[in-house]
Amino acid sequence: MKFTLSWLKDHLDTAAPLDDILYALTDLGLEVEEVSNRAAKLAAFTLAKITHAEQHPDADKLRVCRVETDEGEKQIVCGAPNARAGITVVLAKPGDYVPGIDVTLGVGKIRGVESHGMMCSERELELSDEHNGIIELASGEVGQKFTDWLAINRPSVVDPMIHIKITPNRPDALGVRGVARDLAARGLGTLKPLPVPEIKGAFPCPITVTIDPALRDKGCPLFAGRLIRGVKNGPSPAWLADRLIAIGLRPISALVDITNYFTFALNRPLHVFDAARVHGNLHIHPAKGGEELLALDSKTYTLHPGMMLISDDTQPESLAGIMGGELSGCTEATTDVFLESAYWDPITIAATGRALKINSDARYRFERGVDPAFTLPGLDLATQMILDLCGGTPSDIAIDGAAPDTTRAYRLNPARVISLVGMDIPEAEQRRTLESLGFTLNGDMATPPSWRPDVLGDADLVEEVARIASLTKLVGKPLKRATAGVPKPILTPAQVRERAARRTIAGLGYNECVTYSFIDHDAATLFGGGADALRVENPISSEMTHLRPDLLPGLLRAAARNQARGFADLALFEVGPAFHGGEPGEQHVQAAGLLVGASAPRDPYASRRPVDVFDAKADAEAVLAALGAPARVQITRKVNAWWHPGRSGVVSLGPNTLATFGEVHPKVLAAMGVKGPAVAFTILIANVPLPKVKTPTRPALKISDLQAVERDFAFVVDAQVESLTAVNAALGADKALIESVRVFDQFTGEKAEAQMGAGKKSIALTVRLQPEGKTLTEPEIEAVSSKIVEKVTKATGGTLRS
């Protein structure tokens, strides 16, 4: 929505400066997008008078002028052919910026003669393209600001243009008067009255109008118009043309410009038909489909069934509420016009405009909702302007239908307004605000005006009061605590664990992804989903048809997109819900990580290697430790089908599955478009047992002052025996004394089998003993060592390596 400051002041009696108006507009919810203030560019220029002009001693086309300024007489060299003594000019002094030539002036020498300024042309000041000579003014005093002279003599040149952004719920602000009403309610002036003239028809209207019964209730409740005979259509007066030009419209003719003026001034789109081109009467009806209309934009549109048309007795003449037809458009030869004013259903207009891809100022306003009660007053006001500018004789009004009744009332509760807004707004101020916006108050019931279709409840009354009062006046106040003392934790244990998992995985070097919970059917099937219970009824695309059964499909898709763009080494993770059913509650939270490519960048130390199952296992164990999972767990190979069967495992506590880790199955990688080695892990956060003792703080750190003892053991076992079996067996030898057990070596391959026998390997363990009460003696250490050997050999079927 664009308008000029003088246009606004036609409706608002105000002395407020421009900056105050701009601030208030944004604060009222009418966000200022742009301000074009040409006066600011011209503020430095003043008026001066040439007292003497003579030929330059060293140039035929230059003159040396003595110029009377507000700072005394100055010498200025000028090349304009009209530079002569006695004329009043516009002066740019040294230090002034001249916008038309993008130069900041200084004192200079031109062919050896000093020049202390410049006398400007209109092009140099960006007033027009005229540059055949300097500006000559018929009036003005020396030293007077040029902007002040323009404000008196050419106000349109320095009239600021304001462009505001209108939200869809404020159609009333699509007219200058609606904007002025809001500013008046804020207190930046007084809304000027808008008297509606009483137009008496000199004769019955020879063109009748008829609304098809199918459109009376929904489509076109009201259609009115009148014939004006004997008009003279020509160029618009300067004030009207200047306003249209200022907001980016091209003046066409007085009749057309008047309709555009009312569209922006009063939010009342109108249309004028050349009555000589209308055959018979006008009919408002739904299109049958297939009709063609040559519109005013010189394009031919083929109409769909149900679109609203205005037709005469022989052909379509206008696309109702959107754009008129070229065949009945006005020209300079037009002498009789039919002026139309109607109310159109917003939904029907919007549907037609979108289907035909037509954007017009009329459609923009009708689809948001214009004031139905202003249909006839708008017709009378436009008639009066046509009579004033073009002459003519009006007929009686031809009308069919009636304006829809928009009367409704909502209760104003001043106490609730104060409670919701958080400001102490007196009841009298609340009532004054609503009345200034056009509401009618009857006791505590407020009736919205017909131009405010967005007010649909008492909450909207609160919003209007708050908007006018300005939420910038809110003072921040701390909320009272429900209970005294230290507040209880807000996050649930599940939320705390999700945060811990997210931070831990990020700390391991992964990048977080946020993917859709919907995936395609093929990807869902690969990961155990794809059932009808998980199918989305109305998917937004063919790639989002099912709820995801796991987080890995989204991560693999993200990895494939990154690889396609040249990123080969990836570490991605996501924490979010996965779905095992379609009913409420049939979902669980996972933390999933994916490693693709190599573990490190290329360097001279051969650090780079492909990621493997142990990278995923280590990261999964780190996340489980951060979640408080027990250190002793079982690892089995009963994995799902999307994991590599020989290079993956399941971390569990008995039947309770905590996590799965390993390589992703090659078939799955191929189906998802991922290249290279890819390992992953999935943590079932809810399955990790909560600590038995809940404390608000971490437990005290236990540090023993006694010397720890480490002993190394090597066992010969079958090649199929897992290292974890030996580790768990060693830990069980003495749970109180043994602090940790870790594998530090594994001897496998042909050399191992040559030394220890076919199908054998060696596992080397380091066992750390941490005494509590006293230092361990050698016999005590030997006793524990014997238990370790006994436990491990029994669990693995191996022997102590000699």
Side-chain angles (χ1 to χ4, degrees):
M1 172 63 189
K2 297 180 180 180
F3 55 91
T4 62
L5 182 62
S6 63
W7 201 344
L8 177 68
K9 289 184 176 182
D10 282 353
H11 299 273
L12 182 68
D13 187 2
T14 181
L18 178 62
D19 288 344
D20 289 356
I21 291 174
L22 298 178
Y23 176 84
L25 286 171
T26 298
D27 193 37
L28 287 166
L30 309 176
E31 183 179 354
V32 177
E33 292 275 289
E34 176 193 2
V35 179
S36 177
N37 188 6
R38 285 188 287 178
K41 296 181 181 179
L42 306 176
F45 303 107
T46 57
L47 271 55
K49 188 171 185 178
I50 301 176
T51 59
H52 179 78
E54 61 184 26
Q55 188 68 38
H56 191 287
D58 195 24
D60 294 338
K61 295 184 178 181
L62 297 178
R63 298 179 70 80
V64 180
C65 303
R66 291 201 298 273
V67 182
E68 183 184 352
T69 74
D70 57 341
E71 297 178 354
E73 190 174 80
K74 303 286 184 181
Q75 178 177 278
I76 298 175
V77 178
C78 180
N82 62 331
R84 64 188 186 277
I87 64 172
T88 301
V89 297
V90 180
L91 175 66
K93 302 174 184 176
D96 291 346
Y97 173 73
V98 183
I101 56 175
D102 192 24
V103 168
T104 299
L105 293 181
V107 177
K109 281 190 175 182
I110 302 176
R111 293 287 185 93
V113 179
E114 279 195 351
S115 182
H116 296 264
M118 173 181 177
M119 293 176 287
C120 303
S121 68
E122 290 205 357
R123 189 172 72 173
E124 288 161 344
L125 298 185
E126 295 185 339
L127 298 179
S128 73
D129 291 331
E130 175 61 42
H131 64 287
N132 292 326
I134 58 177
I135 298 173
E136 295 185 39
L137 301 180
S139 61
E141 301 295 329
V142 171
Q144 182 182 4
K145 284 186 173 294
F146 184 45
T147 52
D148 293 341
W149 186 93
L150 288 172
I152 298 171
N153 297 276
R154 295 177 61 185
S156 62
V157 172
V158 291
D159 197 6
M161 188 281 295
I162 304 169
H163 180 194
I164 60 176
K165 184 178 181 180
I166 306 298
T167 54
N169 66 320
R170 289 296 310 277
D172 62 299
L174 291 172
V176 180
R177 187 165 183 82
V179 177
R181 185 182 293 108
D182 268 18
L183 291 171
R186 171 57 67 87
L188 265 71
T190 304
L191 185 67
K192 294 181 179 180
L194 182 66
V196 178
E198 183 180 349
I199 305 296
K200 294 183 179 180
F203 56 91
C205 184
I207 299 176
T208 62
V209 297
T210 307
I211 302 173
D212 190 284
L215 297 179
R216 285 185 179 276
D217 295 331
K218 187 174 181 62
C220 181
L222 173 62
F223 188 96
R226 61 158 44 98
L227 184 71
I228 306 175
R229 289 175 176 164
V231 300
K232 184 178 181 180
N233 190 25
S236 295
W239 68 267
L240 178 55
D242 286 344
R243 286 191 175 173
L244 297 181
I245 292 171
I247 62 173
L249 296 182
R250 178 176 59 90
I252 298 173
S253 66
L255 290 172
V256 176
D257 293 348
I258 288 171
T259 62
N260 288 334
Y261 177 83
F262 272 81
T263 298
F264 283 86
L266 300 174
N267 191 29
R268 170 30 60 185
L270 304 163
H271 185 62
V272 283
F273 298 85
D274 188 333
R277 300 184 178 187
V278 175
H279 305 286
N281 300 313
L282 293 179
H283 311 276
I284 300 89
H285 63 96
K288 298 178 181 178
E291 296 97 330
E292 291 188 346
L293 174 70
L294 177 62
L296 288 172
D297 60 359
S298 300
K299 295 180 181 179
T300 300
Y301 297 95
T302 302
L303 306 185
H304 303 171
M307 293 181 174
M308 292 188 295
L309 269 178
I310 303 175
S311 302
D312 59 18
D313 291 342
T314 62
Q315 63 187 1
E317 295 290 354
S318 176
L319 189 57
I322 297 178
M323 188 172 290
E326 189 170 290
L327 295 179
S328 59
C330 295
T331 66
E332 291 185 359
T334 299
T335 57
D336 299 338
V337 295
F338 184 83
L339 176 63
E340 167 245 313
S341 179
Y343 178 76
W344 308 101
D345 173 58
I347 296 176
T348 307
I349 295 296
T352 301
R354 291 171 188 169
L356 298 179
K357 298 180 180 179
I358 301 179
N359 291 312
S360 66
D361 292 321
R363 173 202 160 181
Y364 187 77
R365 284 158 174 78
F366 278 125
E367 70 182 3
R368 284 160 175 77
V370 301
D371 180 7
F374 193 65
T375 304
L376 296 181
L379 177 64
D380 287 338
L381 285 166
T383 301
Q384 186 62 58
M385 183 173 287
I386 291 175
L387 297 178
D388 293 341
L389 300 184
C390 304
T393 305
S395 74
D396 294 332
I397 293 178
I399 187 171
D400 193 13
D405 185 11
T406 61
T407 304
R408 60 204 184 279
Y410 306 104
R411 188 174 304 280
L412 174 65
N413 186 339
R416 186 166 182 264
V417 173
I418 295 173
S419 173
L420 292 177
V421 176
M423 293 190 296
D424 188 12
I425 306 174
E427 180 179 352
E429 180 68 15
Q430 296 181 32
R431 298 177 70 90
R432 186 204 67 78
T433 294
L434 294 177
E435 288 173 347
S436 63
L437 291 173
F439 289 74
T440 302
L441 293 176
N442 184 10
D444 60 352
M445 299 301 292
T447 301
S450 56
W451 58 80
R452 291 298 301 271
D454 58 305
V455 179
L456 298 172
D458 54 0
D460 293 320
L461 303 181
V462 177
E463 180 183 353
E464 291 302 298
V465 172
R467 188 172 62 87
I468 301 301
S470 181
L471 294 177
T472 59
K473 297 179 182 178
L474 275 172
V475 179
K477 297 179 181 179
L479 292 174
K480 293 182 179 179
R481 289 180 177 173
T483 57
V486 179
K488 295 181 179 179
I490 297 174
L491 299 180
T492 65
Q495 291 172 325
V496 172
R497 287 186 156 196
E498 288 181 33
R499 182 176 64 180
R502 184 175 282 109
R503 289 183 174 180
T504 301
I505 303 175
L508 292 171
Y510 288 72
N511 294 310
E512 185 172 10
C513 296
V514 179
T515 63
Y516 283 106
S517 295
F518 310 114
I519 60 177
D520 61 274
H521 176 265
D522 293 341
T525 303
L526 285 174
F527 290 84
D532 287 342
L534 296 174
R535 183 170 60 84
V536 180
E537 285 293 336
N538 187 23
I540 60 176
S541 79
S542 60
E543 296 179 352
M544 297 182 182
T545 58
H546 286 72
L547 293 171
R548 61 186 179 190
D550 198 279
L551 297 184
L552 287 180
L555 294 178
L556 288 169
R557 291 289 191 203
R561 287 193 296 271
N562 278 273
Q563 284 185 334
R565 289 161 176 79
F567 297 96
D569 301 333
L570 301 166
L572 309 175
F573 84 95
E574 182 172 8
V575 178
F579 303 86
H580 53 271
E583 297 298 323
E586 292 184 341
Q587 67 182 55
H588 55 281
V589 177
Q590 293 183 355
L594 175 69
L595 293 171
V596 181
S599 61
R602 299 173 64 183
D603 60 27
Y605 312 107
S607 302
R608 184 177 177 84
R609 61 172 178 79
V611 292
D612 58 30
V613 62
F614 298 106
D615 293 316
K617 180 175 182 289
D619 292 343
E621 288 176 341
V623 178
L624 289 173
L627 298 179
R632 295 187 61 182
V633 294
Q634 294 84 44
I635 297 181
T636 64
R637 297 185 183 275
K638 297 179 181 179
V639 295
N640 291 311
W642 55 90
W643 297 98
H644 193 296
R647 300 173 185 173
S648 57
V650 175
V651 181
S652 59
L653 284 174
N656 185 26
T657 299
L658 304 183
T660 306
F661 65 90
E663 288 189 17
V664 182
H665 200 289
K667 292 183 178 180
V668 174
L669 293 180
M672 302 296 286
V674 178
K675 302 175 184 178
V679 298
F681 64 84
T682 301
I683 311 291
L684 302 178
I685 296 178
N687 289 4
V688 178
L690 293 168
K692 295 180 180 179
V693 179
K694 297 181 181 179
T695 60
T697 59
R698 295 180 179 178
L701 178 64
K702 291 183 179 181
I703 300 178
S704 177
D705 58 352
L706 301 176
Q707 179 69 41
V709 178
E710 288 190 355
R711 286 290 185 270
D712 296 341
F713 303 86
F715 297 92
V716 178
V717 298
D718 292 338
Q720 293 78 18
V721 174
E722 297 171 346
S723 299
L724 185 62
T725 304
V727 171
N728 287 339
L731 284 170
D734 192 327
K735 296 180 181 179
L737 194 57
I738 298 175
E739 184 180 68
S740 64
V741 179
R742 60 184 178 85
V743 178
F744 72 89
D745 185 41
Q746 185 171 252
F747 185 31
T748 61
E750 293 180 359
K751 290 184 179 181
E753 291 184 353
Q755 293 183 19
M756 296 173 290
K760 297 293 184 180
K761 68 178 180 180
S762 172
I763 298 175
L765 306 178
T766 291
V767 181
R768 181 180 178 86
L769 309 178
Q770 179 61 62
E772 295 292 337
K774 64 184 183 64
T775 303
L776 294 174
T777 63
E778 194 64 30
E780 291 172 334
I781 295 173
E782 290 298 330
V784 175
S785 299
S786 299
K787 288 183 180 179
I788 292 172
V789 173
E790 179 185 354
K791 286 281 188 180
V792 174
T793 55
K794 182 178 179 180
T796 63
T799 59
L800 187 66
R801 184 179 176 187
S802 57

